Amino acid sequence: MTDQQDRTAVADRPDLAAVSGELDLAVRTAVAAGRLIAEYSAEGGALADYKGGFEPVTVADLASDGLIRDALAGRRILSEESSSATWDFGGPLWVVDPLGGTADFSRNHRCVSVSIAFAVDGEVLAGVVHAPFLDETFTAVKGGGAHLNGRPITAGAPEGLGRSVVGTGFPHDRSDVEPLVERVRRLLTHCEDIRRSASPALDVCWTACGRLDAHTEDLRPWDVAAAGLIAVEAGARRGTLPPGEPGTLETAGVLPPDLNGEGFVVAAPTIYDDLVALLSG
């Protein structure tokens, strides 16, 4: 990028007041989607289909996606449930997971989330992760800190990996489980314990507020856009493992750093380097 392009990009970025307004819209929309999801839960959360033959989709996923698209009408949206395979990250973009934790939802577990992030040229400027059944709403604006239900949150500071509880998860496609088993082996033999909520955005937000000390998993842009910003604004560190390490995929093309979930790692600063070294060794 040339100096002129860099100055133009900065000039085109929305100011803090504008970004705060976008966050307000995202929060209202996420909470409304959460109410709709709760209504579908009361009716049983019926499955609608399996994407790719193995990833569940419920009627609530699709209804939440429709509600969010209506609320953000006229804006460009990248959504897990209704976007094409061709992604364009230039300019303003809303990155959406209308229902994170579908397998949980379909079995009446409570770890379910709605994620909405606002990005410009691939840089996430605001994000919300709302957990409708837990009555918790995580938010962040870039440079403005992270909050849970309006109160500031801060990542933990464990003494080392041996005193750390780490979240992880697994893809729906289990055609090659050996790298996943190796990741779990390394975590179990070097950390205090592991957890899995099955809603990655919540695991990342729980790292932001100290309920977990880290989370690592191979994820998609809608999993990490809002939650990743929240974690970083809470003082956590985030990054990605080298392709080919246990639990990562070989990626085709390049994702903006804020939207890259391949080999995703987020952790308390005191253990980040050690965790990355553990998973990359």
Side-chain angles (χ1 to χ4, degrees), residues 10 65 79 114 122-123 160 168 189 226:
V10 171
D65 185 72
S79 171
V114 179
E123 179 185 10
T168 193
T189 55

Side-chain angles (χ1 to χ4, degrees), residues 71-114:
L72 301 179
R75 298 166 171 86
R76 288 199 312 124
I77 301 171
L78 172 62
S79 171
E80 178 180 11
E81 300 303 340
S82 58
S83 293
S84 69
T86 302
W87 299 345
D88 176 8
F89 300 110
L93 179 69
W94 294 77
V95 185
V96 174
D97 187 350
L99 200 168
T102 299
D104 280 357
F105 174 77
S106 66
R107 290 162 178 80
N108 203 33
H109 290 290
R110 305 290 87 185
C111 291
V112 171
S113 62
V114 179

Side-chain angles (χ1 to χ4, degrees), residues 197-221:
S197 77
S199 174
L202 284 185
D203 282 334
V204 176
C205 288
W206 290 348
T207 303
C209 67
R211 294 175 187 170
L212 291 174
D213 299 307
H215 183 78
T216 181
E217 186 176 354
D218 201 58
L219 297 171
R220 298 298 183 226

